[in-house]
Amino acid sequence: MNAFQQLGHNALTMFQRLGRANLFLLAVLAGVPSLVMRLRLLIQQLYSVGVLSLVIIVVAGFFVGMVLGLQGYNILVDFGSEQSLGMMVALSLVRELGPVFSALLFAGRAGSALTAEIGLMKATEQLSGMEMMAVDPLKRVVAPRFVAGVLSMPLLAAIFSAVGVMGGYFVGVGLLGVDEGAFWSQMRSNVDFHDDIMNGVIKSVVFGTVVTWIAVFEGYDAVPTSEGVSRATTRTVIYSSLAVLGLNFILTALMFGEE
Amino acid sequence: MTGINDNLVEARGLTFQFGSRVIFDGIDLDLQRGKVTAIMGPSGTGKTTLLRLIGGQIRPTAGTIHVDGQEVPRLSRRDLFELRKRMGMLFQSGALLTDLSVFDNVAFPLREHTGLPETMVRDLVLMKLEAVGLRGAQRLMPSELSGGMARRVALARAIALDPMMIMYDEPFTGQDPISMGVLVKLIRDLNEVLGLTSIIVSHDVAEASQIADYIYVLSQGIVVGQGTPAELHDSDSEWVRQFMQGTPDGPVPFHYPAEDYAAELLSREDGR
């Protein structure tokens, strides 16, 4: 009986939070237009959310690209089609690995930082203080961070894919001796702007929105103690990673399922 | 009824419940314009909650609160924000924005609300910082300030928009004697010089009695005593006397309710 009660309680809590998260998103979106007046805040956040995530994105992208080059070569060479390596590397990155990997890294780097920052502002009464100064923290604090996350994610994913292609090129052409001309021309003729690149961009916009939404909500909704903030940070990383992987499957099925 | 008389804040039958816990059970308060009123009581009586109710951050379960003739819980968000521009609040932690310098913290409300040119903002900020004696600290970051300095900067920020009232949340807690003295003097002086109305929530009896014109003592959700500091010190109520004089035992027992001492000691083995 008790376990049953617990189950019901957990379900209710979950739906309550989900409802709060949705209302929160609406309130944040309502605050977005006022950002036009505060571009400086947005630029600051673009820097701390986007630019500061660049290093990890570039390094990870290069390594993922190199592994793709290596594994791709080993598989393709058995069929004598190692010239298609460029296409294989580019398609895997643009369609799947670029958006997914960079969203996971983004959740770990920028998402957790956003949650911790907003959670600590709540714990130290900074958000309350702003409200008492008649400044809406949703507009002043949350909205610029949210928009910065949504804008940064597709750019980071694009950079990840581009650097990944370089990594694949470095291993495939530089080390394993794939023909350079074939590498690039196969890539150019088989990667479609609309079907592949735009779908990848759509994915990364969706991931960016979801990850940033989870991150700012968890921070804003955190229990205002050091323990509460640390829990919220952990939850951000877990929920946003799972959300990215789950949504990626759905999006892939919708975009590429009919071929 | 309100607005004509001399009360800036009036609460009638104010009731607030948090879950099933009753924090306030129908209290009446009258806070006079131009005076320093202290709200006192033991920890956990919801004194900070009272400030949040006055500031409209939370709504009462029942009863009314009027601030300057306006019924706070019924205000729209826009009107509430307008009202809050005329209220300053000093949080226990100071609540300074940690990513801004002292100067920018004090300039924050001016830049958000006034649209004044930057040269005028600068003059105003310097004046407010001078008033709390921290003009020299304008370039420091909040992390470089001591607790007492942080509170003084927060005070400068609270008076930046020249409010009609300031609410102080436990201003004396955790201060060394010198900072305490500075704060006591500042609160009193600012009240006189700027013609403010001050509300101090505190459990530091000595300091609060020193500057308050009128004191409300709250306990368990009701007003258990009120009056000038002198009146309260010699109150008829045993409870108020215990609180004001800080005696360890009295109507508020030293012991948390427990079963019989001897019985519990003897029952140790069965209890396991």
Side-chain angles (χ1 to χ4, degrees):
Chain A
M1 190 58 208
N2 222 335
F4 223 61
Q5 253 180 1
Q6 191 63 37
L7 182 73
H9 177 76
N10 288 351
L12 281 178
T13 318
M14 192 188 81
F15 281 114
Q16 251 176 16
R17 271 179 69 85
L18 211 58
R20 272 211 305 280
N22 278 296
L23 292 175
F24 172 82
L25 181 65
L26 288 182
V28 171
L29 289 178
V32 168
S34 68
L35 270 183
V36 181
M37 307 292 292
R38 308 161 186 236
L39 278 182
R40 220 168 46 86
L41 284 179
L42 179 61
I43 291 167
Q44 265 176 12
Q45 290 309 318
L46 279 172
Y47 177 77
S48 70
V49 171
V51 178
L52 293 182
S53 305
L54 254 183
V55 175
I56 186 175
I57 291 284
V58 167
V59 173
F62 198 70
F63 276 112
V64 168
M66 287 200 296
V67 167
L68 276 176
L70 195 58
Q71 288 287 8
Y73 179 83
N74 282 339
I75 294 168
L76 292 173
V77 81
D78 288 344
F79 305 96
S81 50
E82 67 271 20
Q83 280 84 359
S84 305
L85 183 65
M87 173 193 85
M88 195 222 107
V89 168
L91 283 184
S92 339
L93 280 168
V94 169
R95 286 181 176 179
E96 301 288 338
L97 293 178
V100 172
F101 244 95
S102 45
L104 293 178
L105 294 170
F106 183 76
R109 167 65 185 76
S112 58
L114 283 177
T115 306
E117 192 185 13
I118 297 177
L120 278 175
M121 289 182 87
K122 185 178 181 187
T124 52
E125 294 180 317
Q126 292 183 51
L127 298 183
S128 245
M130 267 189 205
E131 266 185 22
M132 284 307 297
M133 285 186 281
V135 175
D136 187 346
L138 287 178
K139 285 185 185 155
R140 179 66 173 63
V141 176
V142 178
R145 285 167 173 77
F146 179 75
V147 173
V150 174
L151 291 180
S152 303
M153 187 68 249
L155 296 173
L156 290 171
I159 293 171
F160 185 97
S161 296
V163 174
V165 167
M166 305 304 285
Y169 171 83
F170 172 69
V171 169
V173 176
L175 301 181
L176 299 172
V178 173
D179 181 62
E180 183 170 3
F183 184 89
W184 293 118
S185 66
Q186 284 265 354
M187 193 186 301
R188 278 190 58 178
S189 55
N190 287 299
V191 177
D192 185 74
F193 176 75
H194 184 261
D195 285 348
D196 300 317
I197 295 187
M198 280 322 283
N199 276 341
V201 171
I202 293 172
K203 276 187 178 182
S204 58
V205 171
V206 172
F207 297 161
T209 309
V210 170
V211 170
T212 322
W213 176 21
I214 292 177
V216 290
F217 175 71
E218 286 292 348
Y220 199 78
D221 202 50
V223 180
T225 60
S226 34
E227 196 199 359
V229 174
S230 90
R231 277 194 191 170
T233 312
T234 312
R235 273 204 306 269
T236 291
V237 177
I238 295 177
Y239 290 167
S240 50
S241 305
L242 292 179
V244 164
L245 294 171
L247 280 171
N248 182 52
F249 175 73
I250 295 172
L251 288 172
T252 301
L254 288 175
M255 291 167 174
F256 304 105
E258 285 164 18
E259 283 173 32
Chain B
M1 189 178 101
T2 46
I4 340 160
N5 60 25
D6 224 20
N7 295 334
L8 186 63
V9 180
E10 274 190 4
R12 288 287 171 273
L14 185 64
T15 303
F16 182 71
Q17 292 185 343
F18 188 76
S20 57
R21 241 183 90 203
V22 180
I23 312 275
F24 298 121
D25 191 8
I27 57 174
D28 296 338
L29 299 170
D30 292 305
L31 310 187
Q32 277 194 323
R33 255 177 233 277
K35 300 283 181 182
V36 179
T37 307
I39 314 277
M40 312 196 61
S43 310
T45 31
K47 301 188 295 292
T48 305
T49 310
L50 184 64
L51 294 187
R52 290 186 188 279
L53 283 165
I54 296 174
Q57 285 194 313
I58 46 180
R59 285 164 200 271
T61 318
T64 60
I65 313 170
H66 285 86
V67 174
D68 200 26
Q70 291 178 288
E71 191 176 349
V72 178
R74 285 173 189 266
L75 289 178
S76 68
R77 195 169 169 78
R78 181 183 300 250
D79 292 339
L80 183 62
F81 271 29
E82 280 307 312
L83 182 63
R84 280 185 190 162
K85 288 180 195 170
R86 298 191 288 141
M87 296 174 160
M89 173 143 176
L90 191 73
F91 286 85
Q92 197 171 349
S93 59
L96 294 175
L97 302 173
T98 41
D99 55 342
L100 299 180
S101 69
V102 165
F103 182 94
D104 290 331
N105 259 292
V106 180
F108 181 81
L110 294 166
R111 288 179 180 149
E112 287 288 327
H113 294 310
T114 62
L116 289 172
E118 201 53 27
T119 49
M120 199 175 276
V121 168
R122 177 173 171 275
D123 292 348
L124 282 170
V125 171
L126 292 181
M127 284 157 69
K128 304 298 174 185
L129 280 173
E130 176 73 17
V132 298
L134 289 177
R135 191 164 45 82
Q138 55 180 295
R139 287 184 214 295
L140 298 182
M141 293 305 283
S143 56
E144 299 171 278
L145 302 174
S146 70
M149 284 163 83
R151 258 174 238 189
R152 279 151 73 189
V153 174
L155 186 52
R157 185 177 68 176
I159 56 172
L161 289 173
D162 293 317
M164 57 182 177
M165 63 184 268
I166 300 198
M167 301 187 274
Y168 298 90
D169 187 4
E170 299 283 3
F172 310 117
T173 307
Q175 298 293 316
D176 63 64
I178 300 177
S179 328
M180 188 100 94
V182 170
L183 278 167
V184 168
K185 180 176 145 46
L186 263 180
I187 293 174
R188 190 72 239 185
D189 287 357
L190 286 178
N191 201 72
E192 303 295 319
V193 175
L194 302 178
L196 293 168
T197 302
S198 304
I199 308 172
I200 303 173
V201 147
S202 175
H203 50 226
D204 294 290
V205 175
E207 285 71 27
S209 318
Q210 207 179 325
I211 48 175
D213 296 304
Y214 202 81
I215 298 180
Y216 283 91
V217 183
L218 301 182
S219 175
Q220 317 226 321
I222 52 169
V223 176
V224 291
Q226 54 175 300
T228 62
E231 284 166 12
L232 280 182
H233 199 77
D234 308 314
S235 166
D236 305 331
S237 153
E238 240 183 289
W239 194 101
V240 173
R241 272 211 312 278
Q242 187 193 356
F243 181 78
M244 296 298 285
Q245 297 167 9
T247 39
D249 213 350
V252 179
F254 171 72
H255 288 287
Y256 191 81
E259 61 176 298
D260 185 65
Y261 188 34
E264 186 165 7
L265 281 177
L266 292 173
S267 71
R268 204 179 112 207
E269 281 141 46
D270 324 338
R272 287 276 150 171

